[in-house]
Amino acid sequence: MINKIFDLFSLPTRDLLRDLIYRRLWTSILISSFGAQVTMLALPLTAAILLHASPSQMGVLTFMEVLPFVLLSLPSGVLLDRVRKLPVYIVGEITISLAVASVPLAWWLGYLSMSWLYVVGFMIGMVNTTAGSASQIVLTQIVPRDRLVEAHAKNALATSGAEVAGPATAGALIKLMGAPLALLADALLLLTSAVILRGIHINEVRQPREDAHFWRDLKAGLSFVTNKPLLIALAMTVGGWQLCYNAALVVQILFATRELGLSEQAIGLSYMGMGIGTIIASVYGYRISRRLGSGPCMVLGVAVCGVGWSLLALAPANNWGIAAFSFMLMCFSIGGVLIFINFLALRQAVTPEAMLGRMTSTMRWLILIPAGPGALIGGWMGEHLGLRYSLGFAGASALLLAYIAGRNPIIRGITALPTLSKQEEMQQV
């Protein structure tokens, strides 16, 4: 009987979580995701409630997190192709923990201001520019390329666990301790994640090329991406989605607190909708991708996000509006998972190992260039026209983007992960 119960909960023979190295990576992602839930709520709530930030200031805060991607992505890609990726990933987790821990320290000393939050946001973005790219490459060093969509779906499932329990916990912490002090929880969780990552052993052998040259290698990365129509089509689609997402992001906390009158704890409970959406998309996303194809699955994700933002823009300021807020978060997470499990796998599948750092950073640079203007547009519209206009702009633009991307023959024609020939895989670029 005991054996039957064990068999019921045991993993399938080929499940990725049976691999010890991937399981440590997955556990680290789960823990750091819990911390991210705290920061996702505590940082904007600190700005909106404690510092009484305007919509334009919220837009600048988001812009400061995006700015490092525009400034540093391309050079960081060249450097990543020359160093081991795992140490960069670990140092990044530690650095972000110190950045978020500085907020309660500044608050306690009486120095906390929007300028301080701008600096913290810039530091978080700077680390995510380098360590975030490194973490994506580490996954390709652990998981076979033909299982990357499955791996990204499992990573999304780890994130979904945090998104279900994390927001309510974060809301309770913020209610109990205040938004600044709650950020200490994220700092501790990130340090725990870094400790787990230190236990991962990857035999990454770097063979520096004698003819390596920084600017030529940077140009080679740009050339590699711009000469692949698939990567350009992916960048245009996800870049457009980033503009819409950031336009909505800068006002959604303000909408919840000022239009719907939600408390910090109620906002945390509402964010559980995002976790539910991530679980749904993580469980079924891989199946949907196999059935529709990776390209159409991405288009579906963009459309689902657009529906969520559009409905919230029209929602009344009552209980139905609160339900619409939670529904929007669920739509966002479903759409985001459907987009990124395919986007990440597709771009990694067509890139030789020697080019992964530059490709990853170049693609992140391309898709995040529209994010900054999106945040500023959303903040300006929220302040001068009303918060609903920012949400409506995001929703309508996302639906238009889904229509355009769905008619793109490259995106529409992606029915399976492409593969590299042995010659392409061994290519030194």
Side-chain angles (χ1 to χ4, degrees):
M1 181 65 178
I2 294 176
N3 289 336
K4 289 183 179 179
I5 294 174
F6 178 80
D7 289 340
L8 180 65
F9 291 95
S10 64
L11 295 169
T13 304
R14 295 192 69 253
D15 196 285
L16 281 174
L17 287 172
R18 283 188 175 274
D19 182 88
L20 177 61
I21 297 177
Y22 175 73
R23 191 160 64 241
R24 290 188 74 98
L25 176 64
W26 188 88
T27 304
S28 170
I29 292 170
L30 176 65
I31 291 173
S32 63
S33 295
F34 268 97
Q37 295 303 310
V38 178
T39 298
M40 180 182 66
L41 290 179
L43 203 61
L45 281 173
T46 297
I49 296 177
L50 193 63
L51 300 178
H52 308 289
S54 68
S56 292
Q57 287 176 314
M58 296 294 282
V60 173
L61 179 59
T62 300
F63 176 78
M64 292 302 291
E65 292 185 36
V66 173
L67 183 60
F69 287 93
V70 178
L71 299 178
L72 303 174
S73 279
L74 294 180
S76 72
V78 176
L79 296 176
L80 279 175
D81 279 333
R82 300 180 181 185
V83 300
R84 293 173 60 231
K85 315 305 183 293
L86 184 59
V88 176
Y89 186 8
I90 294 171
V91 171
E93 295 282 87
I94 295 171
T95 304
I96 292 182
S97 74
L98 295 176
V100 297
S102 75
V103 175
L105 177 62
W107 174 70
W108 182 64
L109 294 174
Y111 292 124
L112 187 61
S113 64
M114 284 304 299
S115 297
W116 190 287
L117 293 187
Y118 294 155
V119 173
V120 171
F122 186 86
M123 287 183 65
I124 292 173
M126 185 171 61
V127 171
N128 284 335
T129 302
T130 52
S133 295
S135 69
Q136 294 176 11
I137 300 170
V138 166
L139 183 67
T140 68
Q141 296 170 335
I142 294 174
V143 176
R145 292 191 177 221
D146 61 349
R147 303 187 71 181
L148 282 173
V149 173
E150 179 186 355
H152 285 300
K154 284 191 178 295
N155 290 353
L157 190 59
T159 304
S160 70
E163 289 177 350
V164 170
T169 305
L173 276 174
I174 294 168
K175 185 75 172 179
L176 179 66
M177 304 169 61
L181 285 177
L183 288 166
L184 289 176
D186 183 19
L188 291 174
L189 288 168
L190 285 167
L191 288 175
T192 303
S193 171
V195 170
I196 292 172
L197 288 172
R198 279 181 57 85
I200 294 177
H201 299 286
I202 299 174
N203 295 322
E204 181 181 5
V205 180
R206 303 304 304 151
Q207 296 179 343
R209 293 171 52 188
E210 294 181 0
D211 61 343
H213 185 276
F214 179 85
W215 292 110
R216 189 188 61 209
D217 290 348
L218 187 150
K219 183 179 178 182
L222 277 169
S223 178
F224 175 82
V225 170
T226 54
N227 286 325
K228 281 194 174 292
L230 171 60
L231 293 181
I232 291 298
L234 292 174
M236 292 177 64
T237 300
V238 181
W241 178 86
Q242 285 283 359
L243 185 147
C244 303
Y245 162 57
N246 281 275
L249 177 65
V250 298
V251 299
Q252 64 188 36
I253 289 291
L254 294 177
F255 187 86
T257 55
R258 298 177 186 179
E259 292 282 334
L260 302 178
L262 295 179
S263 66
E264 297 93 325
Q265 193 166 12
I267 291 174
L269 290 171
S270 297
Y271 266 79
M272 291 177 67
M274 192 161 68
I276 294 170
T278 304
I279 288 177
I280 293 171
S282 300
V283 171
Y284 294 104
Y286 182 46
R287 302 179 199 176
I288 295 171
S289 179
R290 285 192 303 174
R291 187 174 186 86
L292 298 181
S294 295
C297 186
M298 287 179 58
V299 173
L300 176 61
V302 174
V304 170
C305 290
V307 169
W309 293 321
S310 298
L311 287 178
L312 184 59
L314 301 173
N318 54 27
N319 289 338
W320 287 106
I322 297 171
F325 181 66
S326 186
F327 180 75
M328 178 277 293
L329 293 169
M330 184 173 69
C331 287
F332 160 72
S333 59
I334 290 174
V337 170
L338 294 180
I339 293 167
F340 279 94
I341 64 173
N342 292 285
F343 170 66
L344 297 175
L346 283 167
R347 73 186 196 186
Q348 290 165 347
V350 298
T351 306
E353 194 277 336
M355 183 59 77
L356 276 172
R358 282 167 286 172
M359 178 281 296
T360 300
S361 295
T362 301
M363 289 295 285
R364 296 182 89 194
W365 179 67
L366 289 173
I367 69 172
L368 285 168
I369 285 176
L376 297 177
I377 291 170
W380 184 89
M381 293 183 74
E383 184 162 343
H384 294 89
L385 301 177
L387 301 177
R388 294 179 183 274
Y389 283 86
S390 300
L391 293 166
F393 167 78
S397 299
L399 291 173
L400 177 61
L401 174 64
Y403 174 76
I404 294 172
R407 293 181 61 84
N408 186 321
I410 297 176
I411 297 293
R412 190 174 64 243
I414 306 172
T415 57
L417 275 183
T419 57
L420 288 174
S421 66
K422 289 186 178 181
Q423 182 179 0
E424 289 175 319
E425 181 56 46
M426 297 300 293
Q427 184 181 2
Q428 296 293 314
V429 278

